[in-house]
Amino acid sequence: MKRMTTFGLALGAVIAFAASAQADIKMGMTGPITGPNAAFGAQLKNGTEQAVEDINAAGGINGEKIVLEAGYDVSDPKQGVSVANKFVGDGVKFVIGHFNSGVTMPSSEVYQENGILQITPSATNPKITERTMWNIFRTCGRDDQQGAVAGAYIAEHFKGKKVAVVHDKTTYGQGLADETKKTMNAGGVQEVLYESVNVGDKDFAALVTKIRAARADLVYWGGLDNEAGPMLRQMRAVGVNAVLMGGDGIASDEFAALGGPAVEGTLMTFGRDPRRRPEARAVMEKLRARNVELRGYVFHSYAAVEIIRQAMEAAKSPEPGKVAEAMHSGRTFPTVLGPISYDKKGDITQPDYVIYVWKKDATGKMNFVELDQ
């Protein structure tokens, strides 16, 4: 009888081990897959899906496959929290997203309270990683870094010129505009106009009138593509030829579609082009086969999944807390974006914002390229 009990316990242990070895890693991907910022949500979705597919095809992580669940937040903070709570209920342990800084902030608190590790590919507001949270990371830089690059460029190339600063009142947009303004002011350039608009605005006649009256040579825009495109088009329609400059929020085909020919010559800050990196070539071919546009945050999302895989393997554990420890350790993770390591806050240690310009490529399509090309 004792022998049978021992055998039964041993068999139970084997079954439990087998079940554990075959467990799935539940990962969530979230962003504005629908709504006005859907172009950016698609970037997060495409990059994450491709990375999960590639990792699973190679055997998964420590023998376990990733099961991906999608949540759509429509760039709305309340919906973002709702998505976060659904992920909690579904047992998700790792999240790629959200897109917007204003959505990432409240959702990350839900994830922290429930032991979920989050990597945002795109949320750049500095406060995101300034809250002493163990669970939040990003594969992009911060707006104080991005604004410093934009502001320094303006101070060097538009000294003695008239600069207008406009933002969309969001956590991201106003934060980026103010960081840029701070650096350009320190460089000796004072704005002749500081204005704001609302997300969703379509008629910018009053703003354009003010820009024209101020005789602005450059308009710095803190916000996203949906407002930037129509604003620029309306500027050109009344003869305002000021250069538009913005941040990563206009790194989408939607900006080109909404702005039309007026987009040519627009300046923009963004991370270095991963399409020029040899590490990204194989991934680029797979994405092209799926007709995915190779721009924006596609590669930042792919890199986020790569980092989770490597950190989990280093930690030899699927527990988010241990994975976070491996990410905070200073270890360098090879990715499609190049080598990435983290500081104790969850920020990348080597941000690399550069200046881009929008112009027509050889096919006549509007595209953005690094200014040194």
Side-chain angles (χ1 to χ4, degrees):
M1 194 67 178
K2 183 177 180 181
R3 184 177 180 183
M4 289 178 66
T5 302
T6 303
F7 176 76
L9 289 171
L11 180 60
V14 169
I15 293 171
F17 175 80
S20 175
Q22 295 174 1
D24 292 324
I25 299 164
K26 292 188 176 181
M27 181 178 291
M29 187 290 304
T30 180
I33 310 300
T34 59
N37 301 140
F40 288 106
Q43 293 172 4
L44 271 62
K45 180 175 183 289
N46 288 328
T48 302
E49 287 180 345
Q50 187 63 59
V52 169
E53 180 181 316
D54 291 347
I55 289 171
N56 283 344
I61 305 174
N62 295 330
E64 299 177 1
K65 297 296 179 72
I66 301 172
V67 174
L68 188 63
E69 177 177 333
Y72 306 151
D73 62 32
V74 204
S75 290
D76 177 75
K78 291 182 180 179
Q79 186 63 23
V81 169
S82 178
V83 168
N85 283 317
K86 184 177 188 306
F87 282 162
V88 171
D90 292 344
V92 167
K93 295 299 181 184
F94 302 91
V95 170
I96 310 300
H98 299 241
F99 167 68
N100 306 81
S101 292
V103 180
T104 299
M105 293 278 281
S107 65
S108 62
E109 294 173 4
V110 175
Y111 299 137
Q112 180 191 42
E113 292 169 3
N114 291 278
I116 296 173
L117 187 149
Q118 175 186 13
I119 304 181
T120 170
S122 55
T124 51
N125 189 275
K127 293 180 182 178
I128 289 170
T129 48
E130 293 288 342
R131 296 170 294 160
T132 320
M133 296 173 69
W134 68 268
N135 69 314
I136 181 72
F137 300 83
R138 45 184 153 204
T139 50
C140 58
R142 298 164 38 134
D143 287 332
D144 47 355
Q145 298 158 344
Q146 183 172 198
V149 171
Y153 182 89
I154 293 170
E156 179 181 355
H157 296 274
F158 288 86
K159 188 176 287 292
K161 303 289 186 179
K162 296 179 178 179
V163 178
V165 178
V166 183
H167 65 78
D168 65 359
K169 303 179 185 176
T170 65
T171 302
Y172 162 72
Q174 183 170 0
L176 178 57
D178 288 348
E179 290 291 348
T180 300
K181 175 180 174 298
K182 180 171 69 175
T183 300
M184 77 177 200
N185 289 167
V189 176
Q190 298 294 319
E191 67 279 5
V192 295
L193 188 69
Y194 183 86
E195 289 289 331
S196 62
V197 299
N198 296 308
V199 172
D201 281 354
K202 301 298 180 187
D203 184 355
F204 298 96
L207 173 65
V208 170
T209 297
K210 291 180 181 179
I211 293 172
R212 182 169 58 180
R215 295 181 161 182
D217 298 295
L218 179 137
V219 176
Y220 185 82
W221 166 245
L224 300 179
D225 50 9
N226 277 292
E227 291 72 39
M231 180 179 69
L232 180 57
R233 189 189 289 267
Q234 291 171 42
M235 285 167 53
R236 296 295 183 260
V238 297
V240 175
N241 295 317
V243 175
L244 181 71
M245 185 176 191
D248 52 326
I250 60 172
S252 75
D253 286 334
E254 190 72 7
F255 173 58
L258 291 170
V263 164
E264 189 160 19
T266 296
L267 299 171
M268 181 183 80
T269 46
F270 198 37
R272 290 196 180 276
D273 192 347
R275 295 172 296 185
R276 301 170 69 180
R277 302 195 66 93
E279 302 98 315
R281 286 174 187 161
V283 177
M284 287 169 59
E285 292 176 4
K286 293 174 184 177
L287 291 168
R288 282 196 180 109
R290 293 172 51 194
N291 295 316
V292 172
E293 286 286 345
L294 304 180
R295 67 167 78 253
Y297 289 104
V298 172
F299 294 100
H300 291 74
S301 304
Y302 191 101
V305 184
E306 286 185 298
I307 291 167
I308 288 174
R309 175 186 64 79
Q310 294 175 64
M312 194 179 297
E313 290 172 348
K316 296 182 173 59
S317 170
E319 291 302 314
K322 293 185 181 299
V323 175
E325 288 178 8
M327 292 172 66
H328 279 132
S329 69
R331 177 186 296 268
T332 297
F333 302 99
T335 77
V336 292
L337 297 174
I340 288 178
S341 59
Y342 286 100
D343 63 17
K344 296 302 181 182
K345 296 177 182 178
D347 286 317
I348 58 176
T349 58
Q350 294 178 311
D352 59 347
Y353 286 108
V354 294
I355 306 295
Y356 286 82
V357 61
W358 280 85
K359 62 182 182 181
K360 290 181 181 177
D361 61 22
T363 68
K365 181 180 178 180
M366 206 69 74
N367 210 334
F368 58 85
V369 298
E370 288 185 37
L371 201 58
D372 61 356
Q373 294 187 64

